[in-house]
């Protein structure tokens, strides 16, 4: 999960990793160099280029990037908890489920402390059997969430319509696994079965390509906000191309199971970004 105090992007696929702004080249970061274990480190197992996050009835755990970033792309490969994982959450927001039921990938966007922009998708594969790639692309025009390179959600900058968009605050990158059985599975109806513990989610292959906020200055716009400096500012990345647009339509048609923009019972007045 990427976050700072006021702005957060949550993805059931999230981004984890980024590269130095001065390099402008993607790279696979060494886990210990890029991240620190900031929550229950005794529940985190490092195995080469992988980290295994553990949840038991004592604690979950999590990690966070040592640096912050503005704009770019990042991806991580994740293998989710096997078997009955009801009530668990792997952030990158995967909502666990009872055996045989589909996993849900939840995405959310927080700007200035306000979220409530959830979408939930099923996946077209079993995410517990093998690693799959979950990616995040972010520039001043849009935010794209991808699974194995297929876009499942796009959040477009609509500041001209009074919609807040995260483009001036650097974000750290986080991953975690934790107990959320008060809401994660069937609205909290299905609780964690602790006889199946410990639960493991494994992360690997962090690929980073973003603008890093250097420690000697806090002027992030001077470092990362100059238009045209980075590849993600090129015209080709203002909107999805035709192929990606078709993929997005397929993902929405086949796998979108909840969209806050359609939840009229929740919102007496739909958020502005939901109105074309």
């Amino acid at each position: 999960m990427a976050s700072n105090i006021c702005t957060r992007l949550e993805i059931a696929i999230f981004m984890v990793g980024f590269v130095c702004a001065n390099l402008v080249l993607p790279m696979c970061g060494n886990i210990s160099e890029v991240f620190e274990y900031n929550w229950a480190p005794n529940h985190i197992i490092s195995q080469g280029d992988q980290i295994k996050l553990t949840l038991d009835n004592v604690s979950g755990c999590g990690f966070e990037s040592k640096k912050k970033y503005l704009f770019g792309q990042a991806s991580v490969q994740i293998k989710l908890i096997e078997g009955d994982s009801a009530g668990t959450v792997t952030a990158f927001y995967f909502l666990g489920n009872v055996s045989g039921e589909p996993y849900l990938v939840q995405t959310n966007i927080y700007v200035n402390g306000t979220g409530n922009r959830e979408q939930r998708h099923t996946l077209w594969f079993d995410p517990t059997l093998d690693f799959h790639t979950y990616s995040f692309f972010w520039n001043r025009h849009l935010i794209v969430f991808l699974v194995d390179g297929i876009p499942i959600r796009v959040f477009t900058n609509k500041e001209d319509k009074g919609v807040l968009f995260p483009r001036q605050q650097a974000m750290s990158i986080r991953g975690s696994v934790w107990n959320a059985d008060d809401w994660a599975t069937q609205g909290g109806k299905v609780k964690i079965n602790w006889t199946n513990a410990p639960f493991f989610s494994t992360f690997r292959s962090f690929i980073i390509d973003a603008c890093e906020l250097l420690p000697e200055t806090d002027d992030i716009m001077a470092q990362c906000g100059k238009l045209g400096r980075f590849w993600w500012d090129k015209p080709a990345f203002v909107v999805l191309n035709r192929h990606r647009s078709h993929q997005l339509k397929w993902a929405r048609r086949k796998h979108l199971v909840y969209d806050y923009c359609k939840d009229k019972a929740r919102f007496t007045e739909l958020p502005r970004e939901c109105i074309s």
Side-chain angles (χ1 to χ4, degrees):
M1 178 170 51
S3 74
N4 70 0
I5 293 176
C6 297
T7 303
R8 183 159 82 247
L9 307 177
E10 292 181 351
I11 336 177
I13 41 181
F14 225 175
M15 62 179 191
V16 181
F18 278 64
V19 96
C20 177
N22 294 329
L23 297 179
V24 199
L25 292 171
M27 75 174 198
C28 297
N30 181 286
I31 293 172
S32 62
E33 293 177 356
V34 179
F35 302 101
E36 58 188 359
Y37 304 151
N38 64 339
W39 173 28
N42 61 333
H43 279 57
I44 299 177
I45 303 169
S46 179
Q47 299 174 325
D49 69 338
Q50 301 180 7
I51 52 175
K52 184 175 290 186
L53 305 188
T54 306
L55 169 67
D56 56 27
N57 59 358
V58 175
S59 179
C61 59
F63 59 88
E64 180 178 6
S65 63
K66 295 179 179 180
K67 298 178 180 179
K68 295 185 177 182
Y69 311 91
L70 181 72
F71 302 144
Q73 179 169 287
S75 66
V76 61
Q77 293 185 353
I78 305 175
K79 185 178 180 182
L80 293 186
I81 297 168
E82 298 181 20
D84 185 347
S85 61
T88 68
V89 166
T90 298
F92 296 44
Y93 276 37
F94 290 99
L95 310 185
N97 218 332
V98 293
S99 297
E101 295 296 322
Y103 274 75
L104 296 178
V105 54
Q106 175 169 295
T107 63
N108 200 355
I109 298 168
Y110 284 74
V111 186
N112 290 345
T114 301
N116 299 324
R117 299 181 177 93
E118 301 93 345
Q119 286 188 1
R120 294 181 181 178
H121 294 74
T122 58
L123 294 168
W124 48 95
F125 52 82
D126 185 338
T128 70
L129 297 180
D130 202 353
F131 287 92
H132 289 268
T133 302
Y134 305 94
S135 307
F136 169 92
F137 173 83
W138 173 35
N139 66 13
R140 68 189 70 242
H141 303 290
L142 44 75
I143 299 164
V144 186
F145 306 107
L146 308 100
V147 178
D148 286 342
I150 296 175
I152 65 169
R153 180 180 184 179
V154 174
F155 185 82
T156 303
N157 185 336
K158 295 183 178 180
E159 290 179 303
D160 59 336
K161 297 182 178 180
V163 179
L164 296 176
F165 187 85
R167 65 181 182 88
Q168 294 183 339
Q169 293 172 306
M171 301 187 190
S172 59
I173 319 304
R174 298 180 182 178
S176 61
V177 60
W178 43 284
N179 174 6
D181 67 5
D182 59 331
W183 65 271
T185 304
Q186 297 180 23
K189 294 179 181 179
V190 183
K191 305 298 182 181
I192 290 180
N193 182 353
W194 291 111
T195 62
N196 295 323
F199 303 98
F200 300 100
S201 287
T202 307
F203 293 67
R204 75 177 187 187
S205 300
F206 302 99
I207 299 181
I208 304 162
D209 193 358
C211 184
E212 175 188 312
L213 182 62
L214 301 178
E216 59 268 20
T217 177
D218 58 1
D219 190 351
I220 188 171
M221 297 309 294
Q223 290 185 47
C224 304
K226 187 177 180 180
L227 186 62
R229 180 179 178 186
F230 302 104
W231 63 266
W232 50 82
D233 289 325
K234 293 183 178 180
F237 300 101
V238 173
V239 296
L240 294 186
N241 62 30
R242 180 178 296 181
H243 177 62
R244 286 289 176 87
S245 295
H246 287 321
Q247 289 180 319
L248 176 65
K249 289 179 181 178
W250 171 83
R252 289 182 60 86
R253 184 176 68 254
K254 294 289 188 178
H255 296 281
L256 181 65
V257 295
Y258 175 80
D259 183 356
Y260 75 108
C261 283
K262 306 294 184 181
D263 195 342
K264 294 183 178 180
R266 178 183 179 187
F267 299 101
T268 55
E269 181 177 346
L270 289 179
R272 291 183 181 180
E273 66 267 22
C274 298
I275 303 171
S276 300

